Amino acid sequence: MTASEDIIYMRRALQLALCGEAAAAPNPMVGAVIVHKGRIIGEGYHRRCGGPHAEVNAVRSVALADQTLLGESTIYVTLEPCAHWGKTPPCADLIIEKGIPRVVVGCKDPFAKVDGLGIKKLQDAGCEVVVGVLEEECRELNRVFMTYHSKHRPFVTLKWAQRPDGSVNGQISTPFTQMLVHRLRARCGAILVGTGTMLADHPSLTVRDWSLRGEQPLRITIDRHNRLPKELTDGFLVYHTETLEEILADLYQRGVQHLLVEGGPTLHRSFMEAGLYDEVRIETSDKRSDHSIDGHTIERRRIGQSPLRALSEYE
């Protein structure tokens, strides 16, 4: 296979991996493609946590007539094959058992029980292993998983809604953009708001506008000065004296991979100034008042795109 062909088939593996977006978490999204002399003979993705991994589904998809071709094939996997027993057997063992001689890996798995061990096991068994094809795209696909296992804290998304003049008061979101926010919430393990938001809005922080049956994220608030009445924090995890670093460390221990921060400017700025965030999502309405024409844009910014300036514009 040439380098350009490796890229083509890894892109297909990435397409497949994305199919697992709804149910793979907390596992990463992974896609796999098996190719024999320019023909795809098998492909699969990790459908749900606890189920077969992408490599297993790809091997199972190979037609009976093509089984003998595995010994002359290449398997493309977006993430390093696992080398340990979890809820399923090691995928590296399956690849070795099937005699697949060449393995192309998008990126290494930072999970401590893998972290290069899958690649080593394959190499020790005599497989040719190529690592780093479309690596940036493969890492980006699982940016939440990567951050959680490499930085030992949740991936942190800051989200707010604002008007063009920077004000954040009053109702800004439309039913449609609220549905999009609830979709984002459904993909997060926890949602955090500050004391001011709790007192002003009494937020429920559910995913009701996206899924009535979906699992609800952990609801969190910070009450530094014990201002919140007990009935308002019912069902919430409340932090009092902990620093942001301590809060994120605790959420890491609780298995929360993605934290959505929906508080006001003070809470957002505290995360930014501490450098404890990974992306910013800003919903901007063209409503300058409650009586103007309604239109919205939703902007996503990653680290390095000056979100501090954007924050100062709505304070």
Side-chain angles (χ1 to χ4, degrees), residues 5-247:
E5 288 175 318
D6 285 346
I7 290 174
I8 290 171
Y9 295 121
M10 188 60 74
R11 287 207 183 281
R12 174 56 182 163
L14 280 165
Q15 290 176 335
L16 291 166
L18 194 57
C19 295
E21 183 178 27
N27 288 352
M29 292 174 279
V30 183
V33 176
I34 303 173
V35 180
H36 177 264
K37 296 182 179 180
R39 179 170 69 93
I40 294 177
I41 62 172
E43 58 182 26
Y45 65 93
H46 183 42
R47 297 175 180 271
R48 64 183 182 281
C49 181
H53 288 187
E55 299 92 325
V56 177
N57 286 328
V59 169
R60 288 177 177 175
S61 74
V62 176
L64 184 61
D66 290 334
Q67 289 288 327
T68 57
L69 303 180
L70 289 174
E72 301 174 349
S73 298
T74 297
I75 184 168
Y76 295 84
V77 190
T78 55
L79 188 67
E80 175 183 3
C82 61
H84 68 289
W85 279 83
K87 294 181 179 178
T88 59
C91 292
D93 288 358
L94 175 66
I95 294 171
I96 295 168
E97 175 192 334
K98 294 298 181 180
I100 301 174
R102 185 169 185 264
V103 184
V104 179
V105 177
C107 63
K108 287 179 61 177
D109 187 339
F111 181 45
K113 292 184 178 180
V114 185
D115 196 17
L117 296 178
I119 292 170
K120 185 177 185 303
K121 177 176 279 194
L122 291 167
Q123 290 173 332
D124 289 347
C127 296
E128 176 192 349
V129 182
V130 178
V131 182
V133 175
L134 296 183
E135 182 174 10
E136 184 176 345
E137 290 92 331
C138 290
R139 290 184 61 84
E140 174 67 14
L141 175 70
N142 286 304
R143 58 191 178 277
V144 171
F145 177 86
M146 295 290 178
T147 298
Y148 179 79
H149 287 288
S150 62
K151 295 186 177 181
H152 304 290
R153 66 161 174 80
F155 182 93
V156 178
T157 297
L158 310 182
K159 179 270 171 188
W160 68 79
Q162 64 183 25
R163 302 181 193 279
D165 59 4
S167 64
V168 297
N169 298 323
Q171 179 64 36
I172 296 177
S173 297
T174 67
F176 176 70
T177 59
Q178 183 164 301
M179 180 196 70
L180 295 180
V181 170
H182 284 213
R183 182 181 67 174
L184 174 61
R185 287 179 178 178
R187 295 173 178 174
C188 297
I191 308 171
L192 170 65
V193 296
T195 305
T197 299
M198 289 290 288
L199 291 172
D201 301 336
H202 299 186
S204 60
L205 304 182
T206 66
V207 298
R208 63 190 180 279
D209 290 330
W210 179 250
S211 173
L212 294 176
R213 295 175 294 178
E215 183 177 348
Q216 300 297 325
L218 176 66
R219 298 178 298 168
I220 309 170
T221 189
I222 301 175
D223 187 14
R224 301 287 189 205
H225 305 291
N226 296 316
R227 297 168 56 198
L228 298 177
K230 187 174 181 179
E231 59 272 15
L232 191 59
T233 59
D234 184 39
F236 278 74
L237 172 61
V238 183
Y239 292 103
H240 295 281
T241 61
E242 296 84 353
T243 65
L244 294 184
E245 291 84 354
E246 290 170 337
I247 291 173

Side-chain angles (χ1 to χ4, degrees), residues 289-308:
S289 71
D290 290 336
H291 303 290
S292 63
I293 297 174
D294 189 17
H296 287 67
T297 60
I298 296 180
E299 179 181 2
R300 175 183 165 195
R301 302 184 188 180
R302 299 297 298 277
I303 288 178
Q305 295 179 298
S306 302
L308 275 173

